[in-house]
């Protein structure tokens, strides 16, 4: 009897060891989930384009208000953060070997025109433009974080930080009475649609 139970125990031990090594080999052979290269390229291309457009919008607004005016200083704070963002994406384009959008010249002109145009309509309209743009960019950054896998942890962190900055800009817009700009609802809708279209195009072209 003790012999049988000893044998049974040895058998059980063997099974456990086998199971353990199986588990280990399965773990060792499973690679970390990696981000699809096409998705990664699109993310970097479109974010670079968006940040470039953002710097141009604020350039346009500062050109109208002047950087020493009260509103100009507030806008300059946001513009400085956009500058940090674009510099980071400039680095990432090189690091990850991603082609920038071919439409930078268009975003250069369109961004500046949007910034200057809304500033000419007044401070509230300029801030309404910020609310609309930053809302779209903030949401876009949120969605992108779900597309990035473990291998792009650093980029995910960068985008999370930028998302926070964009939402801060959005809130600065609201704090500066954006919602009381004439035609706020229609203006923000049009700008949101424009931004979403620019995003869709800049991913691919
Ligand atoms: Fe930004
Ligand atoms: Fe921003």
């Amino acid at each position: 009897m003790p012999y049988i139970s000893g044998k049974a125990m040895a058998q059980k031990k063997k099974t456990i060891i086998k199971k353990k090594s199986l588990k280990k080999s399965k773990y060792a052979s499973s690679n970390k989930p990696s981000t699809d290269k096409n998705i990664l390229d699109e993310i970097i291309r479109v974010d670079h384009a968006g940040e470039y457009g953002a710097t141009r919008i604020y350039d346009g607004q500062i050109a109208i208000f002047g950087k020493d005016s009260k509103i100009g200083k507030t806008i300059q704070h946001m513009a400085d953060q956009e500058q940090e963002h674009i510099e980071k994406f400039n680095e990432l384009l090189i690091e990850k070997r991603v082609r920038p959008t071919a439409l930078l010249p268009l975003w250069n002109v369109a961004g500046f025109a949007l910034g200057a145009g809304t500033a000419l309509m007044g401070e509230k309209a300029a801030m309404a433009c910020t609310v609309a743009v930053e809302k779209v960019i903030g949401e876009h950054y949120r969605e992108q974080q779900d597309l990035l896998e473990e291998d792009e942890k650093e980029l995910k962190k960068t985008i999370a930080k930028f998302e926070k900055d964009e939402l801060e800009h959005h809130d600065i817009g609201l704090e500066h009475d954006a919602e009381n700009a004439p035609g706020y609802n229609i203006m923000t809708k049009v700008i949101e649609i424009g931004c979403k279209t620019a995003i869709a195009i800049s991913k691919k072209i």
Side-chain angles (χ1 to χ4, degrees):
M1 195 66 175
Y3 169 70
I4 293 170
S5 74
K7 203 177 166 191
M9 252 174 83
Q11 189 64 39
K12 204 174 172 192
K13 224 177 184 180
K14 240 183 178 176
T15 317
I16 291 172
I17 291 169
K18 214 173 165 188
K19 266 190 189 163
K20 261 191 184 165
S21 64
L22 241 171
K23 211 173 174 186
K24 203 174 171 189
S25 71
K26 193 180 167 197
Y27 182 74
S29 68
S30 75
N31 293 322
K32 266 201 292 184
S34 61
T35 308
D36 184 287
K37 174 69 175 143
N38 288 331
I39 291 179
L40 181 67
D41 285 8
E42 284 186 6
I43 287 177
I44 293 173
R45 182 177 306 118
V46 73
D47 291 356
H48 174 262
E51 293 299 347
Y52 180 68
T55 62
R56 295 300 291 151
I57 291 172
Y58 291 130
D59 283 349
Q61 293 186 340
I62 291 169
I64 301 299
F65 294 130
K67 62 179 186 315
D68 296 323
S69 63
K70 193 164 173 259
I71 188 90
K73 282 178 187 158
T74 305
I75 295 169
Q76 188 62 53
H77 160 73
M78 301 190 281
D80 290 344
Q81 284 179 323
E82 303 304 357
Q83 192 55 39
E84 274 175 39
H85 299 174
I86 183 71
E87 279 168 16
K88 183 65 194 174
F89 280 108
N90 274 330
E91 285 170 24
L92 283 164
L93 280 180
I94 296 166
E95 187 190 317
K96 310 272 186 196
R97 302 177 145 270
V98 178
R99 160 186 77 72
T101 171
L103 298 173
L104 286 182
L106 176 61
W107 304 144
N108 176 1
V109 177
F112 191 89
L114 178 61
T118 50
L120 285 169
M121 289 163 67
E123 293 185 4
K124 289 175 190 169
M127 287 295 169
C129 169
T130 293
V131 169
V133 170
E134 303 291 8
K135 178 176 174 246
V136 174
I137 299 183
E139 283 170 1
H140 191 230
Y141 278 162
R142 173 87 288 284
E143 290 164 14
Q144 284 182 345
Q145 289 166 64
D146 297 334
L147 298 172
L148 294 169
E149 304 287 354
E150 277 292 288
D151 61 331
E152 291 297 340
K153 244 190 198 157
E154 272 309 302
L155 179 59
K156 208 169 176 167
K157 254 206 258 166
T158 300
I159 292 180
K161 153 81 172 72
F162 292 177
E163 180 199 357
K164 211 176 123 250
D165 291 346
E166 311 306 4
L167 294 177
E168 185 204 319
H169 301 169
H170 171 269
D171 293 348
I172 288 173
L174 289 180
E175 283 157 21
H176 286 77
D177 222 10
E179 286 165 305
N180 286 321
Y184 174 81
N185 285 331
I186 180 86
M187 180 169 48
T188 50
K189 261 284 152 279
V190 169
I191 295 173
E192 279 175 32
I193 292 167
C195 287
K196 285 180 185 166
T197 310
I199 285 173
I201 299 172
S202 299
K203 272 186 199 169
K204 307 286 179 193
I205 301 175

